[in-house]
Amino acid sequence: LNPWFDRDLSIAGRVVYRGCVLLSKPKRGNADKMGGGPARSGDVVVLLLQHDKQHGSYGLIINKPTPCEMGDFTDKLPGFASSAIHFGGEGHAQGQGHAVNRELHTLHTYPWLSKAEEVVDGIYLGADLREAQALAAAGKVHSGDFKFYYSAQIWGPGELEKEMGHGRWIAAACHRELLVKPAYAWERPLWRTLVDLIGGKVALMGREHSGEL
């Protein structure tokens, strides 16, 4: 078995929990014809950060880097000036009550940083960036171990369950390498890599979506 995935979870495909990844499941045929925006179609991978009945769910799209870098928006974090900013999600519908709509989110590998909260084994959400900058300047942390995401993908109570019931997402266990390995190091795009690893009908879906069938 591939250590990145819990085979039972990958087969079930609908069991979601904090720290799993959700892979978008495109409709048959040309994925570009799907409606609903970039996080409801195409080759999206979401790291789920919260999932409960009362508050709903939210996560970060982890495979959509933008052309923007941290240095385009601030000169106070020179150690991260060349760090890419990823598109984290579409925000939320009016009135959902979440406070993570248009914020900058940070994932990294340093458990001892202030505000760090473990979400996957060895991966932490949140950091005091002024502290991180000072540590980077002193050579105590590496900028490549940080990833930045603007906004988040958010579902109100019951919304993700409904989408899972409609077959829009495939759930799989997450491994830290998915989050720390740079995009250029993957032989194929991340979404395609993951569906190939899951195998079976899911891998066939990926081949069809990529125009190989």
Side-chain angles (χ1 to χ4, degrees):
L1 296 184
N2 192 294
W4 290 8
F5 292 97
D6 179 323
R7 177 59 61 180
D8 292 336
L9 178 62
S10 299
I11 291 173
R14 295 184 181 182
V15 180
V16 298
Y17 57 91
R18 184 176 185 265
C20 76
V21 289
L22 302 175
L23 286 71
S24 59
K25 185 177 180 182
K27 293 180 179 178
R28 292 185 177 276
N30 188 344
D32 292 338
K33 294 180 180 180
M34 284 187 67
R40 295 295 192 270
S41 62
D43 52 353
V44 173
V45 182
V46 177
L47 171 64
L48 197 61
L49 300 176
Q50 174 181 292
H51 181 63
D52 64 60
K53 293 182 179 180
Q54 181 178 359
H55 299 101
S57 311
Y58 84 90
L60 299 174
I61 298 175
I62 61 174
N63 64 326
K64 298 296 180 184
T66 74
C68 301
E69 298 178 341
M70 292 289 285
D72 296 331
F73 297 95
T74 180
D75 59 3
K76 296 181 179 180
L77 300 169
F80 301 99
S82 61
S83 297
I85 297 177
H86 295 69
F87 172 70
E90 300 167 341
H92 61 83
Q94 185 69 28
Q96 295 294 349
H98 289 272
V100 292
N101 184 12
R102 297 298 181 188
E103 298 178 356
L104 185 70
H105 306 275
T106 307
L107 293 176
H108 58 85
T109 60
Y110 298 99
W112 38 267
L113 286 180
S114 300
K115 302 181 181 180
E117 178 184 359
E118 190 171 40
V119 290
V120 179
D121 186 24
I123 296 295
Y124 300 85
L125 173 69
D128 182 328
L129 293 183
R130 291 174 294 181
E131 175 192 22
Q133 167 57 39
L135 292 168
K140 296 182 178 180
V141 300
H142 187 267
S143 62
D145 294 330
F146 292 77
K147 287 192 175 181
F148 300 96
Y149 303 83
Y150 176 68
S151 192
Q153 189 63 31
I154 302 175
W155 296 266
E159 290 181 349
L160 179 56
E161 290 87 344
K162 184 177 180 179
E163 291 188 10
M164 295 295 294
H166 290 161
R168 292 186 179 180
W169 302 96
I170 301 165
C174 185
H175 188 280
R176 69 188 303 272
E177 190 171 1
L178 301 182
L179 304 173
V180 300
K181 192 172 182 178
Y184 63 79
W186 297 98
E187 183 178 347
R188 290 185 172 183
L190 182 58
W191 180 89
R192 179 59 193 279
T193 298
L194 299 186
V195 297
D196 284 348
L197 285 170
I198 292 172
K201 293 181 179 180
V202 175
L204 289 175
M205 174 196 72
R207 292 179 62 189
E208 181 181 30
H209 180 61
S210 300
E212 297 177 14
L213 292 178

